Amino acid sequence: MYRKIKLLTVLLSIALLAFSFKTDLFQVSKNLDIFASVYKELNLNYVDEVNSAKLIKTSIDAMLSDLDPYTEFVPESEIEDYRMKYVSTQYGGIGAAVIHRDGRVFISDPFEGYPAQKADLKAGDEIIAINDQILKGKNNEQVSLLLKGPKETPVKLKLARDGKIFEKEIKRADIKQPNVSYYGMIGNTAYIKLDKFLENSAQEVKDALVELKKNNPTGLIIDLRNNGGGILQEAVKIVNLFVGKDVEVVSQKGKNPEKNINYKTFLSALEPDLPLAILINNRSASASEIVAGSLQDLDRAVIIGQRSFGKGLVQQTFNLPYNTLVKVTVAKYYTSSGRCIQALDYAHRTEDGMVEKVSDSLINEYKTKGGRLVYDGSGIYPDIHIEPYKYHQITQTLVSKYHVFDFGNLFVKNNPTITSAPDFKLSDADYNSFLNFIKDKNITYKTSSERLLANLKEEAQKEKKLNDVKAEIEALQNTLSNSKKADLTTHKAEIMRVLESEIVQRYYYEKGRIVQTFQYDEEIKKAKEFFNDKQKYNAVLAGIGNYKVIGKPVKVVAKAD
């Protein structure tokens, strides 16, 4: 009887929803009836036992996958992980990141000031067992579940280091991973690295800014590179730190009129005049794009880096029965100039279900507060484009095969201390030690040239012309092979750069790694250059000369014959 009442309630709710949005009520009822009937017949008649919870979860996921990747169902078992990812930055645990290698689990980064680091756990330590549960073969989720727990509860770890087995009993603590992972001065320039827009992110930026102001900086860099976003309201508060009261930052518009909201600044600006640079790249998304796009539209900041990801969608969570929830895309957001920067058109898929970029013919131009041209439909274009640094395949291979990680462990073992993080550099002797370390290691990889040559050989074989070009292909193969042997010398500088970053993190943790990489950071160098040349900085914001149009216009205009 209870199930019938529950089903009736659900159907009634859907009927009301259908009526509210003028959906065909008959179609809704019909399809629900079909779905319930299919589920019933499977449950009664399928040859093997079916896992009903898994079956329903699969069907829900399949239904939502036809919409966009941000609309998702969260079962009760995944609620805590969801809150960590999208809402809170705090959990109970030991404070360490782990990696999985060949079915085994290793500590990769103990967090400074937390139980793992205080108990002298080090990067490279293998975790064999947690509370007597052997970890070999367990996935990341299973390991994470074993490590997490309420504050002050003990967790017993069985570990291995340098061939020796030992045990540690550690008390868990509240682990808070801040939104602002680092702030400080780079010369006379203030710098804030914001990694996410979760709870309290605006307050963290404000607190950092208040501290940095004491140094009388010539300008402020807010680093939003690789920041995938988070809570929209936090983005509005951050913009409000630099823009005065009652200014529209962003608006959202959806099918449901209740989701149409204009977000305005509501306080006086903390720093209305401090020169400001925002760093973005192709992994800056959502709330990052609201901050960068709105400050660009308001001519309040110079945007430096690469075109952002292009996520112009707003999600809201709705609680469902049995402690589950669904996250639904409820609206699109529009920056101050009125543009929506959503790059992928999920509403109009191709016949094979693929998602394409917003059509060039639908790209529109808008104007910033001062009249500069900006465009919708393709992310945020920076005012100053910096080509992203691309590591050579030899460097990528050394990292992906953990040779850099393992050498970092060896270096720490042989060097109890190093110089300060900003000043640390490897010597030529250190690099030779690394070459000696990897001489018997697997560093095989294929270059783009080798792949192209392999394709050429394959095509020649298909066309029965291989004998005609065999000698030339073999000569090219030998040339490429000899060239690869020199890659460790040719790309020494960038390999050393990666090694330095890995090693510094062992001694000075994440903050040390961030500081050490400043010396190689082209976006930071460019921002400082603009702060030191006020005329050039003002020219960008005023749209003078080359700065009137932001990014290359992507709108295609057909020409008549």
Side-chain angles (χ1 to χ4, degrees), residues 20-38:
S20 300
F21 295 110
K22 298 180 175 57
T23 304
D24 188 330
L25 180 56
F26 171 72
Q27 287 297 325
V28 173
S29 301
K30 170 186 169 184
N31 290 318
L32 277 173
D33 193 22
I34 291 170
F35 176 80
S37 299
V38 169

mmCIF file of all heavy atoms in Angstrom, residues 20-38:
data_model
loop_
_atom_site.group_PDB
_atom_site.id
_atom_site.type_symbol
_atom_site.label_atom_id
_atom_site.label_comp_id
_atom_site.label_asym_id
_atom_site.label_seq_id
_atom_site.Cartn_x
_atom_site.Cartn_y
_atom_site.Cartn_z
ATOM 1 N N SER A 20 3.084 22.873 -15.063
ATOM 2 C CA SER A 20 3.751 24.158 -14.855
ATOM 3 C C SER A 20 4.507 24.596 -16.091
ATOM 4 O O SER A 20 4.553 25.779 -16.419
ATOM 5 C CB SER A 20 4.724 24.054 -13.678
ATOM 6 O OG SER A 20 4.038 23.709 -12.509
ATOM 7 N N PHE A 21 5.143 23.629 -16.764
ATOM 8 C CA PHE A 21 5.965 23.987 -17.922
ATOM 9 C C PHE A 21 5.318 23.602 -19.248
ATOM 10 O O PHE A 21 5.967 23.488 -20.260
ATOM 11 C CB PHE A 21 7.348 23.333 -17.791
ATOM 12 C CG PHE A 21 8.131 23.850 -16.636
ATOM 13 C CD1 PHE A 21 8.381 23.055 -15.527
ATOM 14 C CD2 PHE A 21 8.593 25.154 -16.630
ATOM 15 C CE1 PHE A 21 9.100 23.542 -14.445
ATOM 16 C CE2 PHE A 21 9.310 25.651 -15.556
ATOM 17 C CZ PHE A 21 9.553 24.852 -14.462
ATOM 18 N N LYS A 22 3.986 23.410 -19.195
ATOM 19 C CA LYS A 22 3.214 23.138 -20.409
ATOM 20 C C LYS A 22 3.766 21.924 -21.162
ATOM 21 O O LYS A 22 3.793 21.880 -22.382
ATOM 22 C CB LYS A 22 3.190 24.373 -21.323
ATOM 23 C CG LYS A 22 2.515 25.577 -20.660
ATOM 24 C CD LYS A 22 2.509 26.762 -21.586
ATOM 25 C CE LYS A 22 1.743 27.950 -21.027
ATOM 26 N NZ LYS A 22 2.222 28.428 -19.740
ATOM 27 N N THR A 23 4.244 20.926 -20.389
ATOM 28 C CA THR A 23 4.707 19.682 -20.988
ATOM 29 C C THR A 23 3.487 18.812 -21.263
ATOM 30 O O THR A 23 2.496 18.884 -20.553
ATOM 31 C CB THR A 23 5.662 18.957 -20.032
ATOM 32 O OG1 THR A 23 6.732 19.841 -19.711
ATOM 33 C CG2 THR A 23 6.221 17.689 -20.633
ATOM 34 N N ASP A 24 3.572 17.961 -22.270
ATOM 35 C CA ASP A 24 2.481 17.060 -22.606
ATOM 36 C C ASP A 24 2.325 16.032 -21.488
ATOM 37 O O ASP A 24 3.127 15.117 -21.349
ATOM 38 C CB ASP A 24 2.791 16.365 -23.943
ATOM 39 C CG ASP A 24 1.592 15.561 -24.443
ATOM 40 O OD1 ASP A 24 0.820 15.071 -23.605
ATOM 41 O OD2 ASP A 24 1.463 15.417 -25.669
ATOM 42 N N LEU A 25 1.279 16.197 -20.656
ATOM 43 C CA LEU A 25 1.075 15.346 -19.490
ATOM 44 C C LEU A 25 0.888 13.888 -19.883
ATOM 45 O O LEU A 25 1.389 12.982 -19.219
ATOM 46 C CB LEU A 25 -0.148 15.843 -18.701
ATOM 47 C CG LEU A 25 -0.511 15.072 -17.441
ATOM 48 C CD1 LEU A 25 0.666 15.011 -16.479
ATOM 49 C CD2 LEU A 25 -1.710 15.714 -16.756
ATOM 50 N N PHE A 26 0.186 13.652 -20.980
ATOM 51 C CA PHE A 26 -0.035 12.275 -21.422
ATOM 52 C C PHE A 26 1.289 11.586 -21.738
ATOM 53 O O PHE A 26 1.515 10.436 -21.361
ATOM 54 C CB PHE A 26 -0.946 12.248 -22.652
ATOM 55 C CG PHE A 26 -1.041 10.877 -23.274
ATOM 56 C CD1 PHE A 26 -1.757 9.854 -22.650
ATOM 57 C CD2 PHE A 26 -0.383 10.602 -24.474
ATOM 58 C CE1 PHE A 26 -1.816 8.585 -23.217
ATOM 59 C CE2 PHE A 26 -0.444 9.344 -25.039
ATOM 60 C CZ PHE A 26 -1.168 8.328 -24.410
ATOM 61 N N GLN A 27 2.184 12.302 -22.437
ATOM 62 C CA GLN A 27 3.477 11.726 -22.798
ATOM 63 C C GLN A 27 4.303 11.392 -21.549
ATOM 64 O O GLN A 27 4.966 10.360 -21.487
ATOM 65 C CB GLN A 27 4.256 12.683 -23.709
ATOM 66 C CG GLN A 27 3.730 12.780 -25.126
ATOM 67 C CD GLN A 27 3.826 11.451 -25.866
ATOM 68 O OE1 GLN A 27 4.756 10.684 -25.663
ATOM 69 N NE2 GLN A 27 2.849 11.184 -26.720
ATOM 70 N N VAL A 28 4.260 12.286 -20.546
ATOM 71 C CA VAL A 28 4.996 12.038 -19.306
ATOM 72 C C VAL A 28 4.473 10.767 -18.633
ATOM 73 O O VAL A 28 5.238 9.868 -18.261
ATOM 74 C CB VAL A 28 4.864 13.249 -18.344
ATOM 75 C CG1 VAL A 28 5.485 12.907 -16.984
ATOM 76 C CG2 VAL A 28 5.552 14.468 -18.923
ATOM 77 N N SER A 29 3.149 10.669 -18.462
ATOM 78 C CA SER A 29 2.535 9.510 -17.804
ATOM 79 C C SER A 29 2.802 8.231 -18.593
ATOM 80 O O SER A 29 3.116 7.180 -18.021
ATOM 81 C CB SER A 29 1.030 9.722 -17.661
ATOM 82 O OG SER A 29 0.757 10.866 -16.905
ATOM 83 N N LYS A 30 2.676 8.319 -19.902
ATOM 84 C CA LYS A 30 2.877 7.166 -20.769
ATOM 85 C C LYS A 30 4.302 6.612 -20.626
ATOM 86 O O LYS A 30 4.497 5.405 -20.437
ATOM 87 C CB LYS A 30 2.616 7.580 -22.223
ATOM 88 C CG LYS A 30 3.016 6.537 -23.264
ATOM 89 C CD LYS A 30 2.863 7.115 -24.668
ATOM 90 C CE LYS A 30 3.503 6.218 -25.714
ATOM 91 N NZ LYS A 30 3.444 6.804 -27.066
ATOM 92 N N ASN A 31 5.291 7.504 -20.684
ATOM 93 C CA ASN A 31 6.679 7.057 -20.631
ATOM 94 C C ASN A 31 7.065 6.530 -19.247
ATOM 95 O O ASN A 31 7.855 5.589 -19.133
ATOM 96 C CB ASN A 31 7.619 8.184 -21.058
ATOM 97 C CG ASN A 31 7.503 8.476 -22.540
ATOM 98 O OD1 ASN A 31 7.418 7.565 -23.357
ATOM 99 N ND2 ASN A 31 7.469 9.745 -22.912
ATOM 100 N N LEU A 32 6.505 7.134 -18.200
ATOM 101 C CA LEU A 32 6.744 6.621 -16.856
ATOM 102 C C LEU A 32 6.150 5.227 -16.702
ATOM 103 O O LEU A 32 6.748 4.343 -16.081
ATOM 104 C CB LEU A 32 6.145 7.558 -15.810
ATOM 105 C CG LEU A 32 6.992 8.766 -15.410
ATOM 106 C CD1 LEU A 32 6.195 9.687 -14.510
ATOM 107 C CD2 LEU A 32 8.265 8.324 -14.715
ATOM 108 N N ASP A 33 4.974 5.035 -17.263
ATOM 109 C CA ASP A 33 4.302 3.737 -17.194
ATOM 110 C C ASP A 33 5.118 2.681 -17.926
ATOM 111 O O ASP A 33 5.291 1.547 -17.453
ATOM 112 C CB ASP A 33 2.902 3.871 -17.796
ATOM 113 C CG ASP A 33 2.033 2.655 -17.486
ATOM 114 O OD1 ASP A 33 2.356 1.947 -16.501
ATOM 115 O OD2 ASP A 33 1.059 2.425 -18.217
ATOM 116 N N ILE A 34 5.646 3.036 -19.101
ATOM 117 C CA ILE A 34 6.476 2.107 -19.884
ATOM 118 C C ILE A 34 7.733 1.740 -19.094
ATOM 119 O O ILE A 34 8.107 0.560 -18.995
ATOM 120 C CB ILE A 34 6.850 2.727 -21.247
ATOM 121 C CG1 ILE A 34 5.609 2.845 -22.134
ATOM 122 C CG2 ILE A 34 7.944 1.898 -21.933
ATOM 123 C CD1 ILE A 34 5.848 3.653 -23.399
ATOM 124 N N PHE A 35 8.378 2.764 -18.507
ATOM 125 C CA PHE A 35 9.609 2.522 -17.751
ATOM 126 C C PHE A 35 9.338 1.580 -16.564
ATOM 127 O O PHE A 35 10.076 0.614 -16.342
ATOM 128 C CB PHE A 35 10.194 3.838 -17.245
ATOM 129 C CG PHE A 35 11.420 3.658 -16.385
ATOM 130 C CD1 PHE A 35 12.654 3.435 -16.963
ATOM 131 C CD2 PHE A 35 11.322 3.682 -15.005
ATOM 132 C CE1 PHE A 35 13.781 3.243 -16.173
ATOM 133 C CE2 PHE A 35 12.434 3.481 -14.211
ATOM 134 C CZ PHE A 35 13.676 3.279 -14.804
ATOM 135 N N ALA A 36 8.271 1.857 -15.805
ATOM 136 C CA ALA A 36 7.931 1.032 -14.642
ATOM 137 C C ALA A 36 7.634 -0.408 -15.069
ATOM 138 O O ALA A 36 8.018 -1.373 -14.390
ATOM 139 C CB ALA A 36 6.740 1.632 -13.905
ATOM 140 N N SER A 37 6.982 -0.557 -16.212
ATOM 141 C CA SER A 37 6.637 -1.894 -16.699
ATOM 142 C C SER A 37 7.878 -2.685 -17.117
ATOM 143 O O SER A 37 7.999 -3.882 -16.828
ATOM 144 C CB SER A 37 5.657 -1.792 -17.876
ATOM 145 O OG SER A 37 4.461 -1.167 -17.467
ATOM 146 N N VAL A 38 8.789 -2.011 -17.803
ATOM 147 C CA VAL A 38 10.041 -2.672 -18.203
ATOM 148 C C VAL A 38 10.806 -3.126 -16.966
ATOM 149 O O VAL A 38 11.288 -4.261 -16.883
ATOM 150 C CB VAL A 38 10.906 -1.723 -19.059
ATOM 151 C CG1 VAL A 38 12.312 -2.308 -19.255
ATOM 152 C CG2 VAL A 38 10.255 -1.471 -20.408
#
